[in-house]
Amino acid sequence: MTAIWPDHLFPNHLFLVGCGNMAGQMLSRWLSEGLEPARVTVLRPSGKPVADGVAVVTDYPAALPAGTTVLLGMKPYQIADVADALAPLCAADTRIVSILAGTTLAELRSRFPAARDIVRAMPNLPVGLGEGVTALFSDDATDSAARDAIGALIQPLGLVEWIADEALFNQVTALSGCGPAFLFRFVDTLARAGEAIGIPADQAARMALATVQGSANMAARAAVSPSTLADQVASPGGMTRQGLNVLDADDRLLALLTDTLAAARDRGEAMARGE
Ligand SMILES: NC(=O)c1ccc[n+]([C@@H]2O[C@H](COP(=O)([O-])OP(=O)(O)OC[C@H]3O[C@@H](n4cnc5c(N)ncnc54)[C@H](OP(=O)(O)O)[C@@H]3O)[C@@H](O)[C@H]2O)c1
């Protein structure tokens, strides 16, 4: 049964600029949660259909409906062209949500001077399942009611985390934005390690994925932290403890993951400098 979209989540119209991998996942979740397709317009140069009942346009309309929420979902380098066409259509009641990596709030404010409420969002791909993570940031110029409305719009996509400091965007992107790829690599490596100690490859692959999925679900429901859970399931002198000792020696897993996130963060900072 289709969920009924709570009206307070979405007062008027959603205008998506670009609807590729990421914005497409967001829209797909909103539609499956009951957002009326008639409230959505997608602008994409290819004109490819998106979903039944969603209007797709290849050029900007003459005007946006009052109170439109715009989702900027194209590539960051397209911001100048998009702003040239879109900024004149924006008014004080236009809300802008930008998922453009590396495009600062100050730049968005300068490109869309008429829009008062602007929020940066960094979603990750599982938003399509409603199991994503989206970091949000805005400043005091954005009305608190608009922040609440945008937070409520993002909430069906999974965990929503407002961050206090925009300078942390590359850090949170390294963790949750890039995190799915790191987890995919971990699952694959766990399977290959199983194979290396003698488990048939296809069985190791199935077991590694199900182990990660089940353990993540268990940790999400547990009353204690993952760190405590790990210790609770590792009896002294047992097999699990022996394996954890390898991961824990010299904090090697921590060092590996810190290096991984730092490399992703540093790349984000370099891209923001145009390198
Ligand atoms: N992928 C991720 O995991 C991820 C995570 C967080 C944030 N982001 C951000 O999401 C944004 C999109 O990334 P993506 O991976 O979804 O890219 P993508 O799949 O290549 O999608 C880009 C979209 O932009 C449209 N587009 C191209 N030129 C345009 C123009 N001149 N004006 C308006 N729209 C235009 C494309 O139209 P057609 O469909 O017609 O080709 C397409 O729908 C980026 O800014 C990225 O920083 C991505």
Side-chain angles (χ1 to χ4, degrees), residues 16-26 42-48 50 56-58 60 72-79 81-82 98-103 121-125 173 176-178 180:
L16 274 71
V17 183
C19 192
N21 291 320
M22 194 65 240
Q25 290 295 315
M26 297 169 82
V42 167
L43 182 142
R44 65 190 315 190
S46 66
K48 276 196 274 183
V50 170
V56 175
V57 297
T58 56
Y60 291 83
L72 297 177
M74 69 295 171
K75 294 289 191 187
Y77 71 86
Q78 293 162 330
I79 185 68
D81 289 346
V82 167
S98 164
I99 64 169
L100 311 182
T103 305
M122 181 47 62
N124 68 6
L125 283 171
T173 303
S176 60
C178 309

Side-chain angles (χ1 to χ4, degrees), residues 3-7 9-10 29-30 33-36 39 153 156:
I4 296 178
W5 185 255
D7 229 35
L9 288 186
F10 200 69
R29 175 67 180 171
W30 284 326
E33 284 295 284
L35 169 62
E36 284 171 56
R39 291 184 178 198
L153 177 66

Side-chain angles (χ1 to χ4, degrees), residues 67-68 89-95 113-117 143 146:
T68 290
L89 307 180
C90 295
D93 66 351
T94 309
R95 292 170 174 170
R116 187 185 55 199
D117 301 316
D143 187 80

Side-chain angles (χ1 to χ4, degrees), residues 22-274:
M22 194 65 240
Q25 290 295 315
M26 297 169 82
L27 179 59
S28 139
R29 175 67 180 171
W30 284 326
L31 293 172
S32 75
E33 284 295 284
L35 169 62
E36 284 171 56
R39 291 184 178 198
V40 183
T41 302
V42 167
L43 182 142
R44 65 190 315 190
S46 66
K48 276 196 274 183
V50 170
D52 281 353
V54 172
V56 175
V57 297
T58 56
D59 205 352
Y60 291 83
L64 295 173
T68 290
T69 298
V70 174
L71 181 74
L72 297 177
M74 69 295 171
K75 294 289 191 187
Y77 71 86
Q78 293 162 330
I79 185 68
D81 289 346
V82 167
D84 280 350
L86 182 62
L89 307 180
C90 295
D93 66 351
T94 309
R95 292 170 174 170
I96 296 180
V97 180
S98 164
I99 64 169
L100 311 182
T103 305
T104 63
L105 194 63
E107 178 172 358
L108 294 165
R109 288 212 172 281
S110 78
R111 293 198 182 275
F112 300 99
R116 187 185 55 199
D117 301 316
I118 306 183
V119 170
R120 278 186 73 184
M122 181 47 62
N124 68 6
L125 283 171
V127 291
L129 304 171
E131 296 177 23
V133 175
T134 307
L136 296 177
F137 174 78
S138 193
D139 58 15
D140 290 343
T142 290
D143 187 80
S144 68
R147 285 167 63 99
D148 290 350
I150 290 169
L153 177 66
I154 300 295
Q155 199 272 330
L157 307 180
L159 177 69
V160 179
E161 290 284 340
W162 286 93
I163 60 169
D165 180 358
E166 187 175 18
L168 283 177
F169 243 89
N170 283 320
Q171 283 84 330
V172 299
T173 303
L175 196 161
S176 60
C178 309
F182 303 151
L183 257 296
F184 300 151
R185 179 74 85 232
F186 176 82
V187 173
D188 180 58
T189 308
L190 186 62
R192 286 165 54 202
E195 191 186 348
I197 61 167
I199 303 170
D202 58 334
Q203 278 189 320
R206 287 193 297 273
M207 292 168 77
L209 180 57
T211 298
V212 169
Q213 187 172 16
S215 307
N217 288 338
M218 187 179 160
R221 289 171 178 75
V224 294
S225 70
S227 163
T228 302
L229 273 180
D231 285 330
Q232 281 178 354
V233 298
S235 353
M239 291 173 64
T240 308
R241 172 61 60 195
Q242 206 64 24
L244 282 177
N245 288 346
V246 175
L247 293 178
D248 294 346
D250 300 322
D251 277 337
R252 65 206 284 192
L253 183 59
L254 177 63
L256 178 66
L257 290 181
T258 305
D259 287 351
T260 302
L261 298 197
R265 174 205 61 199
D266 292 350
R267 182 64 195 130
E269 288 172 359
M271 286 193 299
R273 294 191 298 268

